[in-house]
Amino acid sequence: MHITQAHCQALDQQDTLAPLRDQFSLPEGVIYLDGNSLGAQPKAAPARAQQVITEEWGVGLIRSWNTAGWFDLPQRLGNKLAKLIGANDGEVVVTDTTSINLFKVLAAALRQQEAKAPTKRVIVSERRNFPTDLYIAQGLIEQLHAHGAPAYQLRLIDSPEELHGALGDDVAVVMLTHVNYQTGYMYNMADTTRAVHQHGALTVWDLAHSAGAVPVALNDANADYAVGCTYKYLNGGPGSPAFLWVNAKHQDAFWQPLSGWWGHARPFAMEPGYQPHQGISRYLCGTQPITSLAMVECGLDTFGQTSMTALREKSLGLTTLFMELVQQECSDHPLTLITPTDPAIRGSQVSYEHPQGFAVVQALIDRGVIPDYREPRIMRFGFTPLYTSFEDVWHAVAILKDILDSKSWDQPQFHRRGAVT
Ligand SMILES: *Cc1c(COP(=O)(O)O)cnc(C)c1O
């Protein structure tokens, strides 16, 4: 079937999620395909930020820790977020960054294993995992070894198919990103967790590209630990605090190592000795960035008006349409699709390699289509069903075709690199 603009318009007319776009502030003339890196701004966010600054801080002052609900915001937002990832109340906190949360849960998972099976000294992950995940594991391994523990080893697989071969009785923890940031490949969480458990290992899932993008069922999968971002598909704002989930059966097993006062059983008793809080609150460390944290709620509230099932259906519609249109319009250009075409194993992004990927992405941004670029040669297009339309996909591909056909990407300004790509 030849896909036309009218076909895309018809898809928009049938789309029951289309009205949700109006809840986001998107600049005129921009097709935003980078919600997987920084989500768009919910229209409710500026007013909420204003309220926190003017009323809660300006007038309420210190009283707002109690009267404006600042103190239990990590748990209250965690309960809202839990619904999107198949978790229950009391299992999630919104706090710190994904990198820091990963350090906390990885350390807790290793402690838990050390008590039971001290000969397990391997952490399995993927070479193509987001680098901070690997760096955090390396830093923790360094730290533990420096304090005299037998060394842990990071075992990296080169593709998801190698996972089963990497599992053995020496494996303590398998730390994977559910949806890969480069390729968009998505693991089957339940099957993978089952295989990991058969070897007596624990799972740490990074949901940075899953939360708000695909349905996640942490408890159904019997997963162990999870972390993720709120500034990507959850639209929490630049640098908004991340989240952390621990299976209820592990929550009280060990302390996490960043044993700050917010994780204490009685923070305001001001006792000299640390005693961990029961439950998920022990995963907090110190005082939270309240303005930024408060805005996470604006992003979460838009999800309250729909379901992950409906969002997933539209997301697959958008990514399938994009792949088909690129095939139809740009097949004589050197674009290599690196995202699985099988909907069961892909997230909400589509990635292509192109020898001049960086310059092509800059030329797209110049024309108002915003995807992003990741080394090496990867052009990444994120689709966010809350605010992306089918006609956006049509226009994005038409502009991509024009840039490739005309080679307009080959201008000096499109080869210049900034600090952030
Ligand atoms: C975006 C992303 C992060 C980011 O971590 P920060 O601590 O927020 O900088 C971590 N892991 C993965 C898999 C990501 O995609």
Side-chain angles (χ1 to χ4, degrees), residues 289-355:
I290 295 297
T291 313
S292 184
L293 187 57
M295 278 194 285
V296 172
E297 189 155 25
C298 304
L300 290 176
D301 283 346
T302 56
F303 285 89
Q305 301 165 49
T306 176
S307 69
M308 282 314 304
T309 314
L311 288 168
R312 175 63 170 165
E313 190 186 334
K314 179 171 174 188
S315 156
L316 286 175
L318 292 166
T319 51
T320 303
L321 177 67
F322 184 74
M323 289 191 264
E324 288 173 355
L325 270 173
V326 169
Q327 173 74 26
Q328 174 181 304
E329 302 292 323
C330 308
S331 61
D332 45 354
H333 294 286
L335 290 168
T336 310
L337 179 65
I338 60 166
T339 299
T341 51
D342 177 358
I345 54 168
R346 74 169 192 260
S348 199
Q349 70 177 66
V350 179
S351 303
Y352 291 91
E353 281 187 5
H354 184 281

Side-chain angles (χ1 to χ4, degrees), residues 97-100 129-130 132-133 177 181 206 208-209 229 231-232:
T97 68
T98 301
S99 303
I100 292 172
N129 200 343
F130 192 85
T132 204
D133 298 43
T177 296
Y181 81 104
D206 188 330
H209 293 275
C229 299
Y231 55 75
K232 293 175 178 166

Side-chain angles (χ1 to χ4, degrees), residues 356-389:
Q356 292 293 333
F358 178 81
V360 175
V361 165
Q362 305 321 305
L364 281 166
I365 295 171
D366 187 61
R367 298 274 301 270
V369 177
I370 308 185
D372 67 17
Y373 172 78
R374 287 289 174 263
E375 290 294 339
R377 300 180 297 281
I378 297 170
M379 305 199 292
R380 200 168 64 147
F381 300 86
F383 295 87
T384 41
L386 283 172
Y387 53 79
T388 306
S389 71

Side-chain angles (χ1 to χ4, degrees), residues 82-83 90 93 145 188 203 208 274 288 331 378:
K83 296 178 179 53
V93 278
H145 193 46
N188 180 316
T203 52
Y274 183 73
Q288 303 300 307
S331 61
I378 297 170

